[in-house]
Amino acid sequence: MSAYYFQTKGLTVGYDGKPLVRDIEIGLRKGEILTLIGPNGCGKTTILKSIAKYLKSIYGAVYIGGESIDELSNKELSRKAAVVLPQKPRAEMMTCHDVVATGRYPYTGMLGILSAKDRAQVQSAMEQVGAWELRGWEFNRVSDGQRQRVLLARALCQQSQIIVLDEPTSFLDIRYKLELLFLLRRMAKERGVAVILSLHELDMAQKASDFVMCVKGEYIARYGAPEEIFKKECIHELFDLKSGSYNPFFGSLELERSRGAPQVFVIAGGGTGIAQYRRLQKEGIPFATGILHENDVDYQVACDLASVIISERSFEKISENTFQKALECIKGCHTVVNCLNGYGEMNMENRRLWETAGSRPRVKGG
């Protein structure tokens, strides 16, 4: 086998002998994070269940540390891989501490009695995910977000070299989403844990992953590093975006631009115009903006929301020709909004634009 700790060969997954996704080839080393993204129903969960042996694959093989998972007993596999799925486990009358403690059972004897070391591992795992205060609560009575943290703690105290998670950030508020992904990154780096997970939050997948797999259709659509995957054309194709757009610079989504000739001209730059752009979009008012340099943060958002952009090349002073284009555009708008609070050498023409905008209504500060 290769240097990959986790690997699939010609893996085909599905249900009742009917293939859903074919020829899945994954190679992952210890310390690396692979994230599956794609539309609902594309097969992400099916892939994760198959590589965790929760679902029998149709063809191909899955290897962990050079061993086929088909040759491993359930207890042996539990020591190598921990799994967090969204399904609620059967935990009648069990406390959150009891549920987390089940993660230590691959290491206990036949009676399942926890040692002092096991109990310390349980406490440490619950503290890492902010769930220690839930230890005495009945598992079936906690919220979805709290339940997710408890299940993650159970996976952590298994001390496996691979963690498989299906939509682990679902139901978590923004604090715990960030803490979860930071924890997974830290575990990958410090403990050499390989992580395979699915996410709906594209911005988080872009920042937390070493590799990304795009799942769509009968075959894997794309597989590569985040900088190869998170491009406008790739995400638009993967999710069949018909309205709105994906912005790869921020990992964010923008609603569809308002159509029609621009009614408002927004003078902006340096990030000052973004809030105004989105405000106008929500009100359904088409707008023009400028004069923006092409490396300006406002320019990136304006490309998705503005009807017209008057721009200048990066690092160049605004030319007289560009200034006249902006002035001509303003003549067709009924209002001018100036979001700038100051001017520098490179955008001094925006001050001139504001001062010569004419008698039409002008709004300062956005």
Side-chain angles (χ1 to χ4, degrees):
M1 299 299 292
S2 72
Y4 294 125
Y5 184 70
F6 176 89
Q7 193 169 24
T8 65
K9 289 285 190 179
L11 183 66
T12 295
V13 302
Y15 295 91
D16 301 322
K18 299 178 180 179
L20 179 61
V21 186
R22 300 175 183 268
D23 297 335
I24 304 164
E25 299 284 338
I26 300 173
L28 203 62
R29 296 177 176 85
K30 289 184 177 182
E32 295 179 335
I33 295 179
L34 168 66
T35 301
L36 278 59
I37 63 172
N40 288 334
C42 66
K44 299 187 298 294
T45 297
T46 306
I47 293 172
L48 295 177
K49 285 183 176 181
S50 298
I51 65 178
K53 208 177 175 180
Y54 279 52
L55 182 67
K56 184 175 177 57
S57 58
I58 297 177
Y59 304 111
V62 179
Y63 299 94
I64 299 178
E67 296 181 273
S68 169
I69 63 171
D70 292 331
E71 299 173 358
L72 299 173
S73 67
N74 289 337
K75 190 168 187 177
E76 290 172 331
L77 184 59
S78 295
R79 291 185 178 183
K80 291 180 176 290
V83 183
V84 180
L85 297 177
Q87 291 91 339
K88 183 177 177 180
R90 294 182 179 179
E92 289 78 7
M93 305 302 291
M94 294 179 69
T95 66
C96 293
H97 186 281
D98 295 335
V99 171
V100 176
T102 62
R104 297 302 303 167
Y105 288 167
Y107 304 94
T108 63
M110 294 182 61
L111 298 179
I113 299 175
L114 299 179
S115 66
K117 179 181 177 180
D118 293 323
R119 288 191 291 272
Q121 291 287 351
V122 171
Q123 180 173 344
S124 175
M126 296 188 77
E127 288 176 343
Q128 286 184 68
V129 301
W132 181 240
E133 70 275 9
L134 303 174
R135 60 191 179 276
W137 294 26
E138 187 177 337
F139 180 75
N140 286 338
R141 293 183 180 275
V142 298
S143 70
D144 290 333
Q146 291 170 327
R147 183 181 305 123
Q148 195 80 329
R149 284 187 279 146
V150 171
L151 295 178
L152 178 60
R154 182 179 67 175
L156 294 181
C157 75
Q158 257 178 266
Q159 293 188 301
S160 304
Q161 291 302 301
I162 295 178
I163 296 184
V164 179
L165 310 100
D166 189 13
E167 299 181 25
T169 55
S170 297
F171 310 114
L172 297 183
D173 61 38
I174 188 63
R175 170 192 168 186
Y176 288 113
K177 287 178 190 286
L178 292 171
E179 289 184 359
L180 166 63
L181 293 176
F182 176 78
L183 177 60
L184 293 176
R185 278 252 54 113
R186 190 179 69 191
M187 289 176 56
K189 180 179 180 180
E190 297 178 359
R191 289 176 43 191
V193 175
V195 180
I196 306 173
L197 73 160
S198 63
L199 287 176
H200 280 299
E201 297 91 342
L202 298 183
D203 56 334
M204 294 189 175
Q206 183 178 17
K207 297 173 178 63
S209 311
D210 295 300
F211 300 97
V212 178
M213 175 184 287
C214 300
V215 185
K216 182 184 180 183
E218 195 172 354
Y219 295 90
I220 298 301
R222 292 175 185 259
Y223 187 111
E227 57 269 23
E228 299 170 352
I229 300 299
F230 290 100
K231 298 180 178 180
K232 187 182 290 285
E233 61 275 12
C234 177
I235 298 301
H236 279 233
E237 178 184 344
L238 180 63
F239 290 96
D240 290 325
L241 293 184
K242 304 300 184 185
S243 61
S245 59
Y246 169 76
N247 190 308
F249 294 93
F250 307 111
S252 62
L253 298 170
E254 299 292 347
L255 298 177
E256 187 174 8
R257 78 182 77 219
S258 301
R259 301 190 181 278
Q263 302 173 24
V264 176
F265 191 98
V266 182
I267 301 173
T272 61
I274 294 176
Q276 182 65 38
Y277 298 163
R278 290 173 175 160
R279 187 177 302 121
L280 290 168
Q281 188 281 332
K282 284 185 284 188
E283 293 176 2
I285 300 173
F287 66 91
T289 186
I291 301 169
L292 302 174
H293 285 87
E294 292 175 353
N295 61 336
D296 194 298
V297 64
D298 279 344
Y299 179 84
Q300 307 303 332
V301 178
C303 286
D304 292 325
L305 296 181
S307 298
V308 176
I309 304 173
I310 308 299
S311 63
E312 187 59 85
R313 290 181 299 176
S314 302
F315 308 112
E316 297 283 348
K317 287 186 177 181
I318 297 173
S319 68
E320 180 63 24
N321 182 52
T322 301
F323 172 81
Q324 291 298 328
K325 286 182 180 178
L327 196 58
E328 187 66 25
C329 185
I330 283 179
K331 292 178 181 178
C333 299
H334 62 63
T335 303
V336 179
V337 177
N338 187 3
C339 299
L340 295 174
N341 295 314
Y343 307 89
E345 183 178 354
M346 302 298 287
N347 74 335
M348 190 59 68
E349 294 303 306
N350 277 325
R351 178 175 183 173
R352 179 182 164 203
L353 192 66
W354 173 243
E355 292 172 346
T356 58
S359 60
R360 60 190 42 77
R362 302 192 302 170
V363 179
K364 189 70 176 74

